Amino acid sequence: MKFLELFSRTGLIGAHRGARTKAPENTLRSLKASVGHCDFIEVDVQLSRDGVAVIMHDDTLERTTNVAKIEAYKSRTPYNVADFTFKELDSLDYGSWFDGEFEPLLTLKQALQFIKENRMFLNIEIKDMHQFFSDEQVISTVLQEVEELRVQESVIFSSFWHEYLPLCKERLPSVPTAALVEDTHPDNLIEYLRSLHVDVYNMNDELVDKESVNKLRQAGFFVNIYTVNDPLRAKELFEMGVNGIFTDIPSLYYPL
Ligand code: G3P
Ligand code: MG
């Protein structure tokens, strides 16, 4: 089955950064913890200074690594991910902040290998890195890994930096794309989404209303909402016609 075929039904559950209340977000442990509890996993991807695609949400390393405790990195504030080489990123601990257990860096390649081996689907959110890298470099790095591992059918690309989306579509037309928005809808929403050639619209729960969901669905776009940790709210959204939600607690929806 292809990612887009998931949308033939409603009620889709996306594990936001993996099962991030059970394990440190965006790590292999959080991916493993979400198996059996979701329809797809969502991770965030960024590039290291030397151009390796790594899985990390924040632009900076302080919250989810031990970087601030390492003497050699003391002068590297604000610890931008894009200022650290892959070797440096790989030397950090991505788990102790969460529960005291060491967890290594997760690369995009490893995340793709994981979903391939476990026959899962992955939403690859490409973080806005336009201040650090050209759009071309970001997209060609991310897409090359997807092509190398031959997981085109199992992934979707999403981004708040919409410039990336037509580039993804141009280079890998078979892979669906999603525009992410947080505070406001773009003007002329439907025309705008058509101009980006996206398949899906991912919006913040605070932006949702029935009218816009109807309009989007009627225009042929699928709609996902983040971040929904209340099953009653999820039910309301699905009744409105929303296709899927991103949740920090996938086991709330798919208890084993
Ligand atoms: O893709 C949905 C959600 O992950 C977007 O927000 O900041 O958690 O990446 P954020
Ligand atoms: Mg995300």
Side-chain angles (χ1 to χ4, degrees):
M1 187 164 78
K2 298 180 185 174
F3 199 112
L4 216 48
E5 289 167 10
L6 283 176
F7 290 104
S8 61
R9 59 190 175 83
T10 180
L12 299 176
I13 305 299
H16 185 225
R17 310 179 202 169
R20 71 187 280 251
T21 61
K22 303 260 190 246
E25 66 184 52
N26 279 331
T27 66
L28 190 57
R29 198 145 43 102
S30 73
L31 267 50
K32 285 182 179 163
S34 65
V35 175
H37 298 292
C38 63
D39 298 292
F40 64 92
I41 300 173
E42 185 259 3
V43 294
D44 307 282
V45 68
Q46 302 188 49
L47 300 193
S48 65
R49 190 171 84 196
D50 46 347
V52 180
V54 297
I55 305 300
M56 164 70 69
H57 176 268
D58 295 5
D59 300 338
T60 59
L61 294 161
E62 193 156 4
R63 183 178 64 87
T64 59
T65 78
N66 62 338
V67 69
K69 294 194 177 134
I70 298 175
E71 198 53 42
Y73 297 142
K74 280 262 153 38
S75 62
R76 306 278 294 275
T77 52
Y79 308 120
N80 287 321
V81 176
D83 288 337
F84 282 68
T85 63
F86 172 69
K87 197 168 166 214
E88 288 171 337
L89 293 176
D90 202 32
S91 72
L92 300 175
D93 174 355
Y94 295 75
S96 290
W97 69 276
F98 182 78
D99 60 1
E101 293 278 312
F102 172 84
E103 185 65 26
L105 172 69
L106 179 63
T107 61
L108 175 61
K109 189 167 284 169
Q110 289 165 334
L112 295 174
Q113 264 154 358
F114 177 84
I115 59 137
K116 190 169 180 175
E117 282 159 18
N118 290 276
R119 294 169 179 268
M120 296 191 69
F121 291 101
L122 189 68
N123 182 146
I124 303 169
E125 181 188 334
I126 307 171
K127 298 283 295 181
D128 177 359
M129 289 169 277
H130 81 278
Q131 284 184 312
F132 299 102
F133 303 99
S134 72
D135 293 352
E136 289 296 337
Q137 182 182 355
V138 171
I139 294 314
S140 77
T141 306
V142 172
L143 272 56
Q144 191 175 333
E145 303 222 341
V146 167
E147 286 180 292
E148 274 172 18
L149 277 154
R150 303 207 179 111
V151 285
Q152 290 92 325
E153 297 201 342
S154 310
V155 301
I156 183 169
F157 299 120
S158 66
S159 191
F160 285 106
W161 183 247
H162 297 164
E163 309 278 326
Y164 293 149
L165 301 168
L167 297 176
C168 291
K169 204 51 140 188
E170 198 178 304
R171 172 143 166 207
L172 278 184
S174 69
V175 177
T177 55
L180 268 161
V181 294
E182 185 155 25
D183 303 320
T184 50
H185 295 296
D187 291 342
N188 303 318
L189 179 59
I190 301 298
E191 274 168 42
Y192 177 72
L193 295 178
R194 285 192 181 128
S195 76
L196 295 177
H197 304 288
V198 296
D199 309 280
V200 183
Y201 188 61
N202 290 346
M203 64 177 133
N204 191 322
D205 194 11
E206 281 158 31
L207 266 187
V208 189
D209 63 77
K210 197 169 170 37
E211 198 191 333
S212 45
V213 174
N214 277 343
K215 215 161 76 178
L216 285 153
R217 299 289 294 113
Q218 274 166 19
F221 295 102
F222 300 109
V223 177
N224 294 322
I225 308 300
Y226 68 91
T227 305
V228 185
N229 291 331
D230 173 1
L232 287 177
R233 174 60 178 159
K235 188 167 177 275
E236 227 170 70
L237 292 167
F238 295 140
E239 281 168 4
M240 240 186 242
V242 162
N243 298 92
I245 56 145
F246 296 88
T247 180
D248 297 324
I249 322 170
S251 57
L252 274 181
Y253 300 88
Y254 268 71
L256 280 183

